[in-house]
Structure formats: C-alpha cells, structure tokens
Amino acid sequence: MSQTESQHPPDNASRPWWRRIPLTLQIVIALGLAVIVGISLGAGNPSSSNAAFINNLAIPAELVLKALRALATPLILVAVLHTFMTATIPGTAGRRLALLLLTNTTVAILIGLFVANVLRPGTWGSLPKPQTTIANANIDPWGLLKDAVPEAVLGPLVSNNVIQLIVVALCFGIVLRGLKSEQIAQAKTGYQPIEDVIAILFEAVIRILNWVIALVPFAVFGIVAKTVAEKGFAPFISLAAFIVAVLVALALQACYYLSRVKFGSWVNPLRFLAGGSDAFITAFSTSSSTVTMPITWEVLQTKVGLRESSASLGALVGANFNNDGTALYEAMSALYISQVIGQHLNLGQQLIVVLTSIFASVGAAGIPNAGLVTMTLVFTSVRLPTEYIALLVTVDWFLDRCRTAINVMGDMTVSAVLDGKKPRYEEEDFSKEA
C-alpha cells in the first residue's frame, strides 16, 4: 500500500516550519519553480553557455534514484519478514485470503498492461534513447524457475533481483515465524526477541527512506527544470496521456472489484461504495493506507455491515499484503517508459514485469511511497534505464493518491468476499429464533 507518511510521524509542533509543509505541496511548488527556471534557460533552445549548468540540475534526481535503488532490496526484505512476524493468519481463512490477494493483484497487473498496450501513452512523446539497449527475452518458464533460486543468500541484495529476494524473504519469514511460535510456547512470556529485532530493522530502514523522500521535491525541481530547458514541454505531453491511461486502468480495476462484490458476496455494490466513501476519501487525501486502515475496518462493520472477522482479515491482515493499485502502476510505468524511449517489451519481458510486480507488491505493504521504491526493481528486471523514473516522479504525487484509494478498495473487496453470501444480521435473526 502506498503512503507518503511514516508509520510513526513526528509531532508537527516540534518540526521546523519548512518541514511542516506537506510533501505534496512541496512537490507542486518545486514543479512551478522548475518550469520558471526551465523557461528562463531556453525552454527547448538553451544556449551553449548554460549547458553545464543545465546538466547539473539533474544531480539531485540522480542521487535520489541511486538512494532508492540502494534501499529497495533491504527494504522489501525486512518488510516481508516484518509482515510474516506480525500478521495473525488463521489456517483455512488464510489460504482463501492468499488466493484472493494473488488473484486481485494478477488481474490488476494484467489490466494495467492491457490498457498500456492499447492506449500506448508513451508514443505521444519521445525522449532520447539510452546508450544501453534492452536484451531480448523469450518466455522460458524453466529459466525463470532456475533464476528464482539465488546462488548466494546475499546475492539478491547486490543484484536487485526481486524474485530471488522474495524467495529468500519468504523462506526466512516462514522459518522465523515457526521459531517465534516455539519461543512463545517454551517461554510462556510476551518477550519476542526475533520479532523485536526485525521490527527495529524495519523502523530503521523506514526512517532512512524518509530522509530520501524528503529530497524528492529537489529531484522534481532538477529533472523538470532540465527537461523544460533542453526539450521544452513536448516530453510532458506523453505524461498527460500516461495519467489518463493509469486513471482508466484504475477505473477498470474498480469495476472488477465491484463485480467481485456483486457475485461473490451478499453486499450490494452501491452500498459498498456509499459505505466505504469515508475510507476512499481518507485514502486519497492522506495517500496512506496505514492511516486509512482503522477507518476502513470501522466502516466495513458499521456502514457496510460485515462481520468483525471478515473486516479484520481484509482491512488489517490482507492490507499488509494487498497492493493492487501499486502493482498496476508499476507494470504500466515499465511499459510506458519502454514506449517513450522506443524500445519494445516483448511478451516474455512483459511476463517478467507481471511476475516482478506481483512479488514486489508483496513487500511494498506498509512502505512509504511504495510504488516509487519498488519500481526500481521492476525496471531492473527487464533492463529498463532507471533514470527515467525521475520523469515519473513529477506526476507520482497525484497518481499515488489514486492508487492508494484503489488499494483500500481492494482491501474492502477482500473483506466482502470473505464475508460470504449470507449477511450477518440473517445469522443473528436465525440464532434468536432458535
């Protein structure tokens, strides 16, 4: 679930005035200043005397992207381990929950790729091609299976191989969860050293990430000013098309959710939308699924009418794994950038994007700006140049809010489907009659 705030935000009263400005407003201000600077430097026709200064404008964006690439793999590793150690997943319901989450995420990614292939937003504009080209990749299931097993335990942290990273994280997560149960059974105390260590590591990485996120407005200013100065506003035409394409894909995903609610539960889709309006608005306004989580859990019971167990599984447990909107966005971003730079991703490479986006979304839950962080891993998996992610940062602040609302809607859909075909009040009436 994507979010722009840490899980434990500091008290605003104790922060300097410039740090009290919301990140979204900082980015908007950076965009405005960047356009002014870009126009003053030539707006597509810069003079040779300004060339060196214009090139230096991209340095903040390069530093931010390097930091995100460095943090992505350890962040996902500790996030998956933290989720495994803290989530309470019942047996039968847990298996059904896992199937629902996997299905929803897969459908979201396929919808994203379908819309990106049909609308082709990247063809509305162009950017200089990178010096390195994308190697051809064919569908090789056995090759993907062999590549999923790393040669060294720490290898995925160095190579940024997200599939190998998730395999390692899942193996350690399952083992550590078993060790945690044994410790609790033997010690009969609340002391959980394994969970405490992982929680500390997770919090440490999150705080470092917050330092990097604080520099995003500088990165936006630099990359937009450099792009406007060198190319004018032509490259941003395709970004407008990309925004439209993402919104269309998210709308289709919302329609898929409503169809699941209609045919998979007793809840009326209109009641589902009306009851969840508070959660959707909160998700969009805060861009944080974690902040929205208690509201989601409450409206599922009080306004939609679900059982507490179903609301808890979808809104509290499932939300730790569910990241459909972000997975959709990452897949579309990879295809969009490949179109912008004129390099075609064949079917095999798009399959790799699907698999990588699924695995990356597993570790993205609870991470601030999850889509921006894990996108570096998706791009690396198909050898797309990660420097073009800086272009997406300029619109990520808006699309992040939209996909967060879809993430929350996905959590609510899972809860509704888990609640079954019979309303809670019918069971209550039956028990009273009995």
Side-chain angles (χ1 to χ4, degrees):
M1 62 196 62
S2 93
Q3 55 194 53
T4 56
E5 303 170 2
S6 67
Q7 293 182 332
H8 306 288
D11 184 11
N12 278 336
S14 63
R15 305 171 73 182
W17 67 268
W18 63 86
R19 295 187 62 190
R20 299 178 198 173
I21 302 175
L23 181 63
T24 301
L25 182 56
Q26 293 180 34
I27 293 175
V28 172
I29 294 173
L31 281 171
L33 293 176
V35 170
I36 295 173
V37 172
I39 293 175
S40 65
L41 292 175
N45 188 26
S47 62
S48 58
S49 60
N50 292 330
F53 176 74
I54 291 174
N55 288 330
N56 290 334
L57 286 173
I59 291 178
E62 294 171 0
L63 293 176
V64 168
L65 289 176
K66 285 181 68 176
L68 289 177
R69 285 195 296 268
L71 285 172
T73 44
L75 187 59
I76 288 184
L77 178 62
V78 295
V80 172
L81 293 178
H82 183 262
T83 300
F84 260 85
M85 296 299 291
T86 56
T88 303
I89 308 174
T92 303
R95 288 190 290 272
R96 191 180 178 199
L97 173 66
L99 180 61
L100 282 172
L101 296 177
L102 179 62
T103 302
N104 288 351
T105 303
T106 303
V107 169
I109 296 170
L110 293 178
I111 287 176
L113 291 178
F114 171 77
V115 172
N117 278 296
V118 171
L119 298 184
R120 298 185 61 80
T123 59
W124 289 45
S126 62
L127 289 175
K129 291 185 179 181
Q131 295 180 354
T132 57
T133 57
I134 305 173
N136 290 327
N138 297 316
I139 300 179
D140 183 10
W142 291 113
L144 292 174
L145 181 61
K146 288 189 295 183
D147 186 60
V149 180
E151 295 183 0
V153 175
L154 299 180
L157 292 172
V158 178
S159 63
N160 283 348
N161 189 315
V162 68
I163 297 179
Q164 293 181 356
L165 181 70
I166 294 298
V167 169
V168 171
L170 290 178
C171 291
F172 274 94
I174 294 171
V175 171
L176 291 177
R177 189 178 178 89
L179 291 175
K180 171 188 172 182
S181 301
E182 293 177 7
Q183 285 182 346
I184 294 175
Q186 293 174 2
K188 302 296 183 181
T189 65
Y191 179 59
Q192 302 169 15
I194 297 177
E195 182 176 335
D196 292 342
V197 170
I198 293 175
I200 291 173
L201 289 174
F202 182 63
E203 182 67 22
V205 178
I206 289 293
R207 292 193 181 190
I208 296 174
L209 178 62
N210 285 334
W211 297 347
V212 178
I213 296 302
L215 299 176
V216 165
F218 296 99
V220 170
F221 170 80
I223 194 65
V224 172
K226 180 177 184 292
T227 303
V228 172
E230 291 184 340
K231 305 294 180 182
F233 294 95
F236 297 99
I237 296 176
S238 64
L239 271 180
F242 176 66
I243 293 175
V244 172
V246 172
L247 293 179
V248 169
L250 291 176
L252 291 176
Q253 181 69 10
C255 292
Y256 165 75
Y257 287 148
L258 293 177
S259 66
R260 290 297 301 266
V261 171
K262 171 68 176 178
F263 299 106
S265 74
W266 63 268
V267 181
N268 183 283
L270 294 179
R271 177 177 181 172
F272 178 83
L273 288 174
S277 58
D278 289 344
F280 302 145
I281 294 172
T282 303
F284 183 85
S285 60
T286 64
S287 189
S288 172
S289 296
T290 300
V291 172
T292 310
M293 190 182 295
I295 297 175
T296 305
W297 184 69
E298 181 67 22
V299 299
L300 282 172
Q301 298 175 77
T302 59
K303 294 189 176 182
V304 180
L306 303 186
R307 300 167 180 85
E308 181 180 352
S309 58
S310 302
S312 299
L313 278 175
L316 304 181
V317 179
N320 288 311
F321 300 91
N322 188 40
N323 222 18
D324 302 338
T326 301
L328 178 152
Y329 175 73
E330 290 173 347
M332 292 193 70
S333 298
L335 210 58
Y336 164 72
I337 292 299
S338 71
Q339 294 168 359
V340 167
I341 63 179
Q343 298 202 36
H344 174 67
L345 289 183
N346 60 34
L347 186 59
Q349 290 166 320
Q350 291 191 34
L351 175 62
I352 294 174
V353 169
V354 171
L355 294 175
T356 308
S357 298
I358 290 175
F359 287 129
S361 68
V362 172
I367 300 175
N369 296 91
L372 190 61
V373 178
T374 57
M375 195 186 300
T376 60
L377 300 178
V378 177
F379 275 46
T380 303
S381 68
V382 287
R383 300 181 179 89
L384 280 173
T386 55
E387 58 263 27
Y388 286 99
I389 295 177
L391 185 67
L392 300 176
V393 173
T394 59
V395 297
D396 186 77
W397 62 274
F398 169 71
L399 295 178
D400 182 39
R401 296 170 179 274
C402 298
R403 63 179 184 260
T404 300
I406 290 297
N407 287 341
V408 170
M409 190 176 185
D411 299 337
M412 294 179 58
T413 300
V414 169
S415 293
V417 174
L418 289 174
D419 209 55
K421 293 280 190 177
K422 184 178 293 186
R424 176 182 61 187
Y425 57 80
E426 285 189 7
E427 289 187 351
E428 294 174 349
D429 292 342
F430 178 78
S431 62
K432 290 179 180 179
E433 292 174 1

